[in-house]
Every structure is written in C-alpha cells, then in structure tokens.
Amino acid sequence: MKTDIEIAQTNEAHQMWPITQVAQGLHIPLDDLELYGKYKAKIAARAITRLKNNRPGKLILITAMNPTPAGEGKSTVMIGLADALHHLQQNVMVAMREPSLGPVMGIKGGAAGGGYAQVVPMEDINLHFTGDLHALTCAINTLSALIDNHIQHGNQLNLDPRKITWQRALDVNDRALRNVVIGLGGPSSGVVRQEHFQITVASELMAVLCLATDQTDLKQRIGQILIGYTYEDQPIFVKDLQAQGALTLILKDALKPNLVQTLEHTPVLIHGGPFANIAHGCNSIIATNLALHLSDYTLTEAGFGADLGAEKFLDIVTPHLEQTPEAVVVVATVRALKYHGGQPLDQISQPNTSAIQSGFRNLQRHLINLQKYQVPVIVAINQFTSDTPAEIQLVQQLCQEMGINAYPVTVHDDGGVGALNLAQALIDLPNKADWQPLYAPEAAIEDKINRIATEIYGARRVVYSNTARKQLQNLQKRHWDQLPICIAKTQYSFSDDPHLLGAPDNFDLHVENISPNLGAGFLVVRTGNILTMPGLPTHPAALQMDIDAAGTIKGLF
Amino acid sequence: MKTDIEIAQTNEAHQMWPITQVAQGLHIPLDDLELYGKYKAKIAARAITRLKNNRPGKLILITAMNPTPAGEGKSTVMIGLADALHHLQQNVMVAMREPSLGPVMGIKGGAAGGGYAQVVPMEDINLHFTGDLHALTCAINTLSALIDNHIQHGNQLNLDPRKITWQRALDVNDRALRNVVIGLGGPSSGVVRQEHFQITVASELMAVLCLATDQTDLKQRIGQILIGYTYEDQPIFVKDLQAQGALTLILKDALKPNLVQTLEHTPVLIHGGPFANIAHGCNSIIATNLALHLSDYTLTEAGFGADLGAEKFLDIVTPHLEQTPEAVVVVATVRALKYHGGQPLDQISQPNTSAIQSGFRNLQRHLINLQKYQVPVIVAINQFTSDTPAEIQLVQQLCQEMGINAYPVTVHDDGGVGALNLAQALIDLPNKADWQPLYAPEAAIEDKINRIATEIYGARRVVYSNTARKQLQNLQKRHWDQLPICIAKTQYSFSDDPHLLGAPDNFDLHVENISPNLGAGFLVVRTGNILTMPGLPTHPAALQMDIDAAGTIKGLF
C-alpha cells in the first residue's frame, strides 16, 4: 500500500485539475479567484456577497465516535462520501478545517483525508497552505505586543499585568512555552509578568475568524475581545486599545475561504481550523455558507468525537449558518469499537465480536445524543482490511436495533466508489430534519454546562473548582452569562479522563476554569487537565521528514 | 500630496499589469510561475536552473549615507532608477528585500519604496506577502521545540540547557520577549531555562535562506547550524538532531523568489529580508543571481548605511554571486547632510549650506570607503521640495571635488523620469570595476574586525568585552575562525553610539559578543547595545491602521 503522500504526489489515476477549472465548474468567474499556485485559490469577498442570493443546498454533518489509536478516518470518510455523491451526479462540496502545522510535525497524521479519499495538494494543505494560520499567529502576537507595549509606555488604560487574559500563540507543539515569564532584563525590556503560549488554533482569534460572517463582523468581534482587567477589575477590550483595525487588516486575506479539490475533483473549501478538544472545532461559517450557496449538498465535519465536535457544531455554529443540518453521518470502525470494548491495541486486528458488542456502547451513546437534536442519523463503517464480514454485519445489526442504518465504506482504498451505498442512502433520506439545540443560550451557565455534561457526556454531576466558582460569579455579575458553552475536554472519552473508554457512567465532570470569549461569543469551560499547548512526542514526525532536490517529499504522512 | 498607500491603491496613472504579463516580458513561461493572486508570483526552481545558462548582466549596488530621522529613501531611489533605465529602453530588474511585518506595525515606513517610485501591490508586500517570513518563523520555532523536546525526552545528545544558542523568533516588535524564562510549570511542561526571542529577520535561518544557492545547499547549511553545546562543551548541530529535512521542507516555497512590479511595470524580485543592523542586510543570492540571468541591469540594495549594508554586501555576499558589482550608487539627501551637520530636525527644511558642508563628512567617508572596493561610485541626491538649488549644487560640487558625480533625482514625485540623468550616467559608465574585498576570510578574527572598524567605521581601536575575548578563544580552538564577519551595529552612526553623527574619529568600537553562524557561514559580532528584538514606540503605527468593507486601507503608510 502506498503512503498518503505517495498517492498525493504521484497521483497516478487522478491528475489534479487546475483550480481555475474546478472554479469554472462552480460558475465562479476567474476574476473572483486569488490563485495560490495552480491548485489553490482564495475566493474574493465580492463573490461571496453576490452568491448569497443563491438558495442554500442541504447541509450534512460528519462526526464520529470517540477517537482511538486504532484510527477512525472521519475526514477520509467525508471526502470519500463527497466523491461518491459526485459519482452519483450530485452537485456537492466539502467545507472542512485547515490542518495545524504543530501537530503535523508532532504525530503522524493530517487533516486532508487518506488513501484515495484525499484533498490535494496535500503537502501544501498540511504545511503552510495559503498562510491563514500564520496570519492568525501574527495577529495574536501583535495584539500581545501592543498590550505589553501599552503597559510599558505609561499604561493609560491602567491594565493590571497580573490580570491580562490575552495569550500569545504559536502554531508549534511546544510544551516549554506553556508557562513562561516574560519582560525580564530591566526597565527597557518590558514589564515582568507570567505568560502562557497557546497553540494558534486554540486562540480565541481562530474562533472569531471562524464565526465571523464577513469582514465588518470580524472587526466588530475583534473589538469585543476581552484582553484583561484594570487594577480596579474593570474589563478592557481590544477596542479600548484601538487595535481592531490593524488586526482586521492583518487578517484580510485569511478571512477568504480556500478552494481546493479531492483526488476525484470534487470541490472543497478548507477554511479555519480550531481544535475541537480545546476550541470549537469547526471550519469557518463563511466557508460553510459559501458551500451551501454553491452546491446542493455541503458536507462538513466537526472535530474529534460527536461529544465534542458535533455538540459544538449543533449548539454553537448552527445558529449562525444559513441552513440547518439535513442529516448527521457518524463514522465508526470495527477496530475502534473493539478498542472501546477493551481489546488491546496490539490485538486490534483479531476478530472479536464480544469486544464489538461491548464497545458499541460508545457509538450507541453518540447516536442517542445526536437524535436529541432531531436530525436524522446514519452510520458509516469505515472498513479496514482486517475487518471480517461477521464483524461488519454485527455493527450493522446493532445500529439497526436502534433504528439506524449503517453502511460500510471503503473510500481509503477505493475513493468515491467505496461509498456509493452511503451516498445513495443520503440522497434517499426523507426530509425529516428539524434541528433543535440542546440548550437555550439565555439559560444559566451552570444549567447549560449541566445539560451537556449529563445529557451528552453521561456524567453524574459537574464539580466546579474554586477558581471556576469565582469565575461563574464574575460572569454573572458582568452579564456575560447569556452565551453558548464551548467545553474543552479530552477527545478520548465522554468523561474528562482519557482512560475511561466505552460509555462511562457515574463520573464527575471537573470544571477547572471558565473564561469569556466575548469576541467569539461563547464561554470556554476547561475540564480535567486539558492543555491549550500540546507537546511533541518522544519521536516527532518531523525527524522523519525530508524533501529532495526533485521536490519529492518523505515522511509527511 | 497623496500617501504611499493612496498612490498604490488608487494607482491612477499606473494600472498594475497581471504578473503573468510581467513574466512574459522576461520570457518566463507561465508554467514556471506559482501565482499568489494576480500580481505576485513565485518562480519555480526548474526555471532558475534553466536560466543559469544565460550570461549574467551588470550588477548595480544601491547604498546610502547613515540614515537619519530626516529620511533618505534608498529603496525609493533604487526603484525610480530602475524605472528610469526602463524608460531608456534598458532591460532592467530590481532584486530587493522583503519587509518585516514587526517594524511595519511599529514605525510608519516600509520597504517598498515611496510616492511614484513604489513596488506594488505595496499593501501585500508590507503585510504577509507570499508568506516567506512566516515560513521562517515557523521553521525557527519548530527547531526550538525539537531542541527542548529532545531534552525533555531523555536528552540523548546530552545538550546543556544553559548552553543552547538557538533562539526562538517572532516577526513582531516585542520587547517583552527579549528575556524570558521558559519551561515552567513542572516536569510535564519542559525544562526550565532562559530564552531570548529574536525578530525573525535577525535569526541565522534568514541569513541561511538568503545565502543558499539552491535547495540542496539550503539543507546542507541548515544541517551545519550550531544549536548549542553539551555539558562537556561539545558543539551540537541541527544535523545531530536530524531536523534539517523537516526544516527544508517547511522552507520549500520560501526559497523561491517572488516576482512583482514597480508602478511603471519594471520587474522586481523581492526575496529574503535580513536587517542590516542586526544581520547581513541583503536579499537572497537566489533572487540576485536570477535577476542577473534575466536582465542586462540588476539593481540591488544593501540595508541602512554603506558602513553596514554595503560592507556586508561587498565582503559577505558578493563572493557568492555570479557577477561582481559594476557600480555603487550612494543615496544622500540635503536634509540628511544637514542633520549630520548638526541642524536640528525641526529646522531641517531651512536652507543651511554650512550644515551641509559639515555634514558632508558623513557621505564623504562612505564614498572613500566604497572606493576601497575598486568599484566606481556615483551619488544620487534624493531631492525634497525644501531643497534649494544652491544646496543641491553644493552637494554636487563637494562630490565633484572627490572626483565623483552626483545627480539629483525626483523619483518620489515623478517616478522613473525623475532619474533619467542618473540612469544615463550609469549606462555611460566606463567598465572599470574590479571588485576587491576588504579582507580575506582566512585572516585572524581580530584582524578582520579591526579592518572593518578602522578602515570603514573610522574607529581608533576595537575594545573586546571579557565575554567576547572568551568567545574569540573558543572560535579559534574549534577552527571556526576562517569566516567573514557580520557586524551588528547601530545604523545611525559609523560608531556603536547612535548619537555620534557625521564622521566621528577617535572612538572605540565595543565588541560585546561574537557568535558563530555556521549555517550562514559568518561570525556575528555584536557591538554596543544592539538589540535583536526591537520594541514598539509609544504610538505604534498599528493603532492608526484600518481596512473598510470595500477593502480601502488606512494608516499602512
């Protein structure tokens, strides 16, 4: 079997089309494209404005059970499913997230699909792409420099250096920057204070970019970002610094969605990429709305498992979209079900129907949860060569017992033709969706957290740290409580303990910290030991990477 | 008078050509272009390889007297001069540096020329351009993360955390990051150590990118970069970490030069941008060599005054070029001469020939210095509306007394037609250039520093700090002494004291620190209080910047 980068670079069966040709198929005039090489393009704001008159197509959300080291392939299934719809003569687009370079350098694995269900050019998409994340990093750190510079030069706003909430960021997995002291070296080199670098995709600015509906909204949201408090505990916002104009200018191109294609030439918009464990996990509103206006079917994914990604998509993102979801596709694998059922990783390829029976509880809870949103649910079983027919049948049967259809797909090896049944099922789906959010944003903060914790995660109760308790009071006092909740939690478990697999019950959800993201318009609730700056593993993927003089890339995947 | 951004954005007389048309004029096939929007393109490596067979044209270096707050306009003159040569039917190109975003956000002023002698699209060039600096920042910090991660996971190379010489970087003016402590927060968050962020353009990796002749050379140079020492004082290089492949991959596109145009459609390559005060100050070898192969005249500039930029260009860069310089153009202004002659800034527009007489010593020393390299020298007087004819004539006369011709230019207001005389003088210049470097790289370190200090700067002697003395011994012991010298020094004075204007004598040059840049292949000698991370001013330019819904930009210049 070829590696992903080999398939993407040799690309034997699938010569990439010039992106101008892909755009032509969408009736986007050449003049509205800003090319980045031959195979990537940004789409001009005027095109987006003009296309708003088109009637939006159907929206399909792709999500998954809790990820395991055995591999699930949510993006791969989404891409293959889009290619399958394309095969069936449907007018389809994908809207998905941009990969973060930090994790690409850390752990093998990217966000452009895999095998014959990939988005290309994958090496560009997984490296700098069109520079959106770099522009965000630059804007985030420029704001930090402006804040510390304000304090250095007289501190007219009376900012308390101990209460600055805005954090610097890098798109690098760098644990050594989690806790730092800056401003050392004497009076000419700043004011000493503690700082915490985040990974760029965890910064509120990424969420702001992804939730903004246009440049005017972006600037307004940036102005609303809380950067800290005065010595008298008065909140200070970006607009108080007058920095929203410069930050919007820095993000002027990053706000434009990026057009690429699958190996089978299905058009894809890749734009914005917050993580789902430490942020809200969905691509930009602008990209999804644009795809809706350009196609009859828009497929979009929410990061990690449905407990994190889909919940945030359905409660935070959907209210901003021009279309509510028509269906949710939940990706599962036999291997992941066995892993959740207790099968050790080194025996994951061995048939074990009782482990599947047991591990199905993980998938089952996700399916039950998603039905609460009143959107039809379908399961995609992403098939591996080690799966036996009996195992696949068992998963189908278990789903069927819940009244849900499950379709095996082989898109990794076969591309779009590996998901034709699933695609046809989507096309044939009766129009029954009637999306309802889990909670009303106006509800009390503890009620909202409680509903997610108990109804989605299956927690017994929510336990707040003393810090979180104080923060709750602060949020209520300042009337910042009527906002949706964005929970930061491990992706590996329904609980905040990554080792609790399957469908744990009788656990407490530990809320450590609640912070207002007033630009993004949600409250970030950190649970367990969730880190907003990952580290590199013992053997980082970067150390296997190379490019030779002919441009052949090794080790990227 | 319109601002630069107004001229660049309204662009009334000069509609930008599609960059494909500019490339066509250079006979670069469309297939060798990687477009970044309509008006920027990277040039593929294969085109560069193929064009190496072309006979190189003539190389013209643009430099200047020591900069002052009164303004000199070196880039503006270079761009106007190129447009003038273009007017005179010459086949001409410019090779110049990329602006650094940090200073753009700090102090009003950029690096894309000014008035009607600008490179466009200036707003893109001065913001993210094609992402080269962001790719560098990313590679620099990825290397740092790999280093700290190596120590975290067992430290097989036995790196002493106190002796790590590789530093993180950001393209932000952020004084609070000059001296930081990283790795706090306990064993899972890294090893505690001191760190110093540099501005990206000061990092050795920028110099490496600019001095590399191709991707193979880049990778080899990256492998040679010293990252620190073991507990037993053994040097550790990037190749010991096996990180050169990943870093080269991260820089694969940044290594390709960027094609843009002047307002008058003269082709310009903008590529690489080390500062001249804290680094070597010249655009990439790849861009200059490519321009030489594409045109009859290549104009390139070296940063800041000739003491810093031109010296480094002539001693460090020229040996790597496929053509030695045919002439040096030194940019001066009446206002800067008056400032160096003691005229206060608030009276700089008032005629004062005696201040010019006195300030001429600054220009004079630069002219004498440049003649030591045995390359013909011409002076360009960048005219301001406040200059009187008598003042201009006086400067011309003072130059003439040295046997050097000086030509007033009005390119800021008039574009290329404002420098026709200067352009004709360049064309008519007899072929007398016989470039000789100031020193042999094989000479002893102190001899090399001494020659630059005494023969270029006019210092009485060089004084070494105790640290620098120890570093000298280390460099000799390790046989790292046979390399050219890259002096980090203030740009405002020949000395290491920014307040010593004119042509100071009888001063000591204080060498604080000498560090081996083994990837770049030179020794960085820091003098005085030179900082490798600038700060923002009291009123940063960023706070005046804005972009409206129609895309109109304010405050960028």
Side-chain angles (χ1 to χ4, degrees):
Chain A
M1 187 72 198
K2 288 184 171 167
T3 64
D4 291 352
I5 181 72
E6 281 167 356
I7 292 171
Q9 282 215 318
T10 59
N11 200 4
E12 69 286 0
H14 319 268
Q15 195 68 43
M16 272 190 281
W17 286 355
I19 200 65
T20 48
Q21 186 179 340
V22 177
Q24 216 164 18
L26 294 165
H27 309 290
I28 301 174
L30 203 61
D31 202 49
D32 288 335
L33 293 185
E34 297 173 10
L35 297 178
Y36 282 68
K38 293 184 183 60
Y39 305 109
K40 298 166 284 179
K42 282 191 170 283
I43 296 176
R46 61 176 173 277
I48 296 170
T49 307
R50 198 178 54 236
L51 288 160
K52 278 195 175 148
N53 299 322
N54 290 8
R55 206 169 62 91
K58 292 178 177 177
L59 179 62
I60 313 294
L61 173 65
I62 319 296
T63 184
M65 54 187 295
N66 288 99
T68 72
E72 288 68 41
K74 174 163 46 70
S75 304
T76 305
V77 170
M78 174 174 65
I79 294 159
L81 176 56
D83 285 337
L85 285 161
H86 200 178
H87 268 279
L88 297 175
Q89 314 299 327
Q90 299 301 310
N91 187 351
V92 58
M93 278 191 89
V94 173
M96 62 188 285
R97 292 177 298 161
E98 309 190 36
S100 167
L101 211 141
V104 167
M105 292 290 142
I107 303 168
K108 191 174 143 76
Y116 289 88
Q118 284 193 61
V119 185
V120 282
M122 79 85 106
E123 64 276 28
D124 290 359
I125 295 168
N126 280 301
L127 291 172
H128 313 291
F129 199 29
T130 58
D132 296 344
L133 267 69
H134 291 325
L136 280 163
T137 304
C138 172
I140 293 164
N141 295 319
T142 296
L143 177 54
S144 289
L146 289 168
I147 292 169
D148 280 300
N149 190 60
H150 180 88
I151 298 172
Q152 174 81 2
H153 290 295
N155 198 8
Q156 207 182 347
L157 289 171
N158 201 28
L159 262 168
D160 186 339
R162 301 164 306 174
K163 297 181 200 147
I164 292 170
T165 51
W166 187 254
Q167 300 181 352
R168 286 170 174 79
L170 283 181
D171 189 11
V172 178
N173 284 16
D174 194 346
R175 70 169 67 72
L177 295 182
R178 281 176 195 156
N179 304 286
V180 303
V181 174
I182 63 170
L184 297 164
S188 66
S189 292
V191 173
V192 180
R193 67 180 183 89
Q194 198 178 180
E195 171 65 303
H196 309 276
F197 280 74
Q198 299 180 293
I199 190 160
T200 299
V201 293
S203 172
E204 181 181 357
L205 201 61
M206 171 58 99
V208 164
L209 184 91
C210 288
L211 292 168
T213 50
D214 59 23
Q215 189 184 282
T216 305
D217 186 37
L218 175 71
K219 198 194 293 181
Q220 202 267 337
R221 284 173 178 270
I222 291 174
Q224 292 291 113
I225 292 173
L226 177 71
I227 56 175
Y229 297 87
T230 66
Y231 285 97
E232 292 80 31
D233 280 332
Q234 290 307 301
I236 300 290
F237 305 93
V238 169
K239 63 185 175 207
D240 296 320
L241 258 188
Q242 285 298 320
Q244 70 275 21
L247 300 181
T248 305
L249 180 59
I250 292 173
L251 296 176
K252 77 180 172 71
D253 295 317
L255 191 65
K256 301 170 189 162
N258 308 290
L259 181 65
V260 285
Q261 63 190 297
T262 69
L263 286 173
E264 301 184 11
H265 316 303
T266 304
V268 178
L269 291 173
I270 297 193
H271 194 220
F275 284 160
N277 50 355
I278 51 185
H280 83 275
C282 304
N283 66 262
S284 75
I285 295 280
I286 288 180
T288 303
N289 278 341
L290 176 60
L292 285 167
H293 289 131
L294 283 169
S295 65
D296 295 327
Y297 285 95
T298 293
L299 273 53
T300 191
E301 66 176 327
F304 294 122
D307 53 329
L308 283 166
E311 187 278 313
K312 292 169 186 172
F313 181 86
L314 292 163
D315 286 321
I316 299 174
V317 178
T318 300
H320 298 282
L321 292 175
E322 299 192 12
Q323 184 67 283
T324 58
E326 185 76 11
V328 179
V329 176
V330 183
V331 178
T333 65
V334 165
R335 296 156 68 92
L337 289 167
K338 285 191 277 194
Y339 189 81
H340 276 286
Q343 180 98 327
L345 192 59
D346 58 0
Q347 296 162 35
I348 211 73
S349 298
Q350 294 171 20
N352 185 338
T353 47
S354 76
I356 292 175
Q357 289 267 9
S358 164
F360 185 76
R361 287 175 305 163
N362 183 269
L363 178 58
Q364 186 178 38
R365 184 175 292 172
H366 287 299
L367 298 175
I368 293 168
N369 288 346
L370 289 165
Q371 287 174 324
K372 295 176 184 166
Y373 291 92
Q374 303 192 33
V375 180
V377 177
I378 307 181
V379 170
I381 307 168
N382 187 18
Q383 231 178 304
F384 280 64
T385 44
S386 59
D387 300 349
T388 66
E391 288 180 313
I392 299 279
Q393 269 179 12
L394 175 58
V395 181
Q396 288 182 295
Q397 177 203 321
L398 291 168
C399 291
Q400 202 55 63
E401 286 167 12
M402 296 179 67
I404 290 172
N405 291 324
Y407 300 88
V409 299
T410 57
V411 294
H412 185 280
D413 292 0
D414 301 329
V417 295
L420 292 176
N421 287 343
L422 176 62
Q424 192 60 53
L426 260 185
I427 295 169
D428 296 341
L429 203 68
N431 189 347
K432 289 196 308 185
D434 181 26
W435 166 80
Q436 297 294 330
L438 184 72
Y439 58 82
E442 300 74 31
I445 297 173
E446 287 161 282
D447 289 351
K448 289 178 282 197
I449 296 174
N450 206 52
R451 289 205 70 167
I452 299 170
T454 56
E455 296 187 34
I456 302 294
Y457 301 164
R460 181 175 47 189
R461 57 171 187 168
V462 181
V463 176
Y464 293 85
S465 71
N466 286 339
T467 304
R469 284 255 160 249
K470 278 184 205 150
Q471 289 164 328
L472 267 179
Q473 288 168 7
N474 179 43
L475 293 166
Q476 283 154 0
K477 188 182 78 182
R478 299 186 194 278
H479 307 292
W480 295 339
D481 47 354
Q482 302 201 358
L483 293 170
I485 300 294
C486 179
I487 295 193
K489 180 180 77 65
T490 176
Q491 65 266 36
Y492 296 113
S493 170
F494 276 109
S495 76
D496 57 22
D497 173 357
H499 305 292
L500 285 183
L501 303 183
D505 285 309
N506 292 319
F507 65 89
D508 294 339
L509 186 78
H510 302 88
V511 170
E512 303 297 339
N513 187 294
I514 310 176
S515 55
N517 280 14
L518 302 178
F522 53 60
L523 304 175
V524 176
V525 175
R526 287 206 218 176
T527 66
N529 284 321
I530 193 77
L531 293 165
T532 55
M533 172 55 95
L536 289 170
T538 311
H539 302 287
L543 303 187
Q544 309 303 320
M545 291 181 190
D546 202 4
I547 179 168
D548 68 13
T552 306
I553 294 167
K554 278 186 199 149
L556 193 53
F557 276 71
Chain B
M1 185 73 199
K2 287 185 171 165
T3 64
D4 292 352
I5 181 71
E6 281 168 355
I7 291 171
Q9 283 216 318
T10 60
N11 202 2
E12 70 285 358
H14 320 265
Q15 195 68 44
M16 273 190 283
W17 287 354
I19 201 66
T20 48
Q21 187 179 342
V22 176
Q24 216 164 19
L26 294 165
H27 309 291
I28 300 174
L30 202 61
D31 203 48
D32 288 336
L33 292 186
E34 297 173 10
L35 297 178
Y36 283 67
K38 291 183 185 62
Y39 305 109
K40 299 166 283 179
K42 282 191 171 282
I43 297 176
R46 60 176 175 278
I48 296 169
T49 307
R50 198 177 55 234
L51 289 160
K52 278 196 176 146
N53 300 322
N54 290 8
R55 206 169 62 90
K58 293 178 177 178
L59 179 61
I60 313 293
L61 173 66
I62 319 295
T63 183
M65 54 188 294
N66 289 98
T68 73
E72 288 67 42
K74 175 161 47 68
S75 305
T76 305
V77 169
M78 174 173 66
I79 293 159
L81 176 56
D83 285 337
L85 285 161
H86 200 179
H87 268 279
L88 297 175
Q89 314 298 326
Q90 300 300 310
N91 187 350
V92 59
M93 279 192 89
V94 173
M96 63 189 285
R97 291 176 300 161
E98 308 190 37
S100 166
L101 211 142
V104 167
M105 293 291 143
I107 303 170
K108 190 174 143 75
Y116 290 89
Q118 285 193 61
V119 185
V120 282
M122 80 84 105
E123 64 276 27
D124 289 358
I125 295 169
N126 280 300
L127 291 172
H128 312 291
F129 199 28
T130 58
D132 297 342
L133 267 71
H134 291 325
L136 280 163
T137 304
C138 172
I140 293 162
N141 295 320
T142 296
L143 176 54
S144 290
L146 288 168
I147 292 169
D148 279 300
N149 190 61
H150 180 88
I151 298 172
Q152 174 81 0
H153 289 296
N155 198 9
Q156 206 181 347
L157 290 170
N158 201 28
L159 262 168
D160 186 341
R162 301 164 305 173
K163 297 181 199 147
I164 292 169
T165 52
W166 187 253
Q167 299 181 354
R168 286 171 175 80
L170 283 180
D171 190 12
V172 178
N173 285 16
D174 193 347
R175 70 169 65 73
L177 296 181
R178 282 178 194 154
N179 304 285
V180 304
V181 175
I182 63 170
L184 296 164
S188 66
S189 292
V191 173
V192 180
R193 66 180 183 89
Q194 199 178 180
E195 171 64 303
H196 309 276
F197 280 73
Q198 300 179 293
I199 190 160
T200 300
V201 292
S203 172
E204 181 180 357
L205 201 62
M206 171 58 98
V208 164
L209 184 92
C210 288
L211 292 168
T213 50
D214 58 24
Q215 189 184 281
T216 305
D217 185 37
L218 176 72
K219 198 195 293 180
Q220 202 267 336
R221 285 172 177 271
I222 291 174
Q224 292 291 114
I225 292 173
L226 176 72
I227 56 174
Y229 297 87
T230 66
Y231 285 97
E232 293 80 30
D233 280 330
Q234 291 306 303
I236 299 290
F237 305 94
V238 169
K239 63 185 174 208
D240 296 321
L241 259 188
Q242 286 297 321
Q244 70 274 22
L247 300 182
T248 305
L249 180 60
I250 292 173
L251 296 175
K252 76 179 173 71
D253 294 317
L255 191 64
K256 300 169 190 163
N258 308 290
L259 182 66
V260 284
Q261 63 191 296
T262 68
L263 286 174
E264 301 185 10
H265 316 302
T266 304
V268 178
L269 291 173
I270 298 193
H271 193 220
F275 283 160
N277 49 354
I278 51 185
H280 83 276
C282 305
N283 67 262
S284 76
I285 295 280
I286 288 180
T288 303
N289 278 341
L290 176 61
L292 285 166
H293 289 131
L294 283 168
S295 65
D296 296 326
Y297 285 95
T298 293
L299 273 54
T300 191
E301 66 175 327
F304 293 122
D307 52 329
L308 284 166
E311 188 278 314
K312 292 169 186 171
F313 181 86
L314 292 164
D315 287 320
I316 298 175
V317 177
T318 301
H320 297 282
L321 292 175
E322 299 192 11
Q323 185 66 286
T324 58
E326 184 75 10
V328 179
V329 176
V330 184
V331 177
T333 65
V334 164
R335 295 156 67 92
L337 289 167
K338 286 192 277 195
Y339 189 80
H340 276 286
Q343 181 98 326
L345 192 60
D346 59 358
Q347 296 163 34
I348 211 73
S349 297
Q350 294 171 19
N352 185 339
T353 47
S354 74
I356 292 175
Q357 289 268 8
S358 164
F360 186 75
R361 287 175 307 162
N362 183 269
L363 177 58
Q364 186 179 38
R365 183 176 290 171
H366 286 298
L367 298 176
I368 292 168
N369 288 347
L370 289 165
Q371 287 173 325
K372 293 176 184 167
Y373 292 91
Q374 303 192 33
V375 179
V377 177
I378 306 181
V379 170
I381 307 167
N382 187 18
Q383 230 178 304
F384 279 65
T385 44
S386 59
D387 301 348
T388 66
E391 288 179 313
I392 301 281
Q393 269 178 13
L394 175 59
V395 180
Q396 287 183 294
Q397 178 203 321
L398 291 167
C399 291
Q400 200 56 62
E401 285 167 12
M402 296 179 66
I404 290 171
N405 291 323
Y407 300 89
V409 299
T410 57
V411 295
H412 185 280
D413 291 2
D414 300 331
V417 296
L420 292 176
N421 287 343
L422 175 63
Q424 191 61 54
L426 260 185
I427 294 169
D428 296 341
L429 202 70
N431 190 346
K432 288 197 308 186
D434 181 25
W435 167 81
Q436 297 293 331
L438 184 73
Y439 58 82
E442 300 74 30
I445 297 172
E446 287 161 284
D447 289 351
K448 288 178 283 197
I449 296 175
N450 206 50
R451 290 204 68 166
I452 298 170
T454 57
E455 297 186 34
I456 302 295
Y457 301 164
R460 181 175 51 190
R461 56 172 189 168
V462 180
V463 177
Y464 292 85
S465 71
N466 287 339
T467 304
R469 285 255 160 250
K470 278 184 205 150
Q471 288 164 328
L472 267 179
Q473 289 168 8
N474 179 44
L475 293 166
Q476 283 154 2
K477 188 182 79 183
R478 299 187 193 277
H479 308 292
W480 293 341
D481 47 353
Q482 303 200 357
L483 293 169
I485 300 295
C486 179
I487 295 192
K489 179 180 77 64
T490 176
Q491 64 266 37
Y492 296 113
S493 170
F494 276 108
S495 75
D496 57 22
D497 174 357
H499 304 293
L500 286 183
L501 303 184
D505 286 309
N506 293 320
F507 65 87
D508 295 339
L509 186 79
H510 302 89
V511 170
E512 302 298 338
N513 187 292
I514 309 176
S515 54
N517 279 16
L518 302 178
F522 54 60
L523 305 176
V524 176
V525 175
R526 286 207 217 175
T527 67
N529 283 320
I530 193 76
L531 293 165
T532 55
M533 173 55 95
L536 289 170
T538 311
H539 301 289
L543 302 187
Q544 308 304 320
M545 291 181 190
D546 202 3
I547 179 168
D548 69 14
T552 306
I553 294 167
K554 279 185 200 151
L556 193 53
F557 276 69

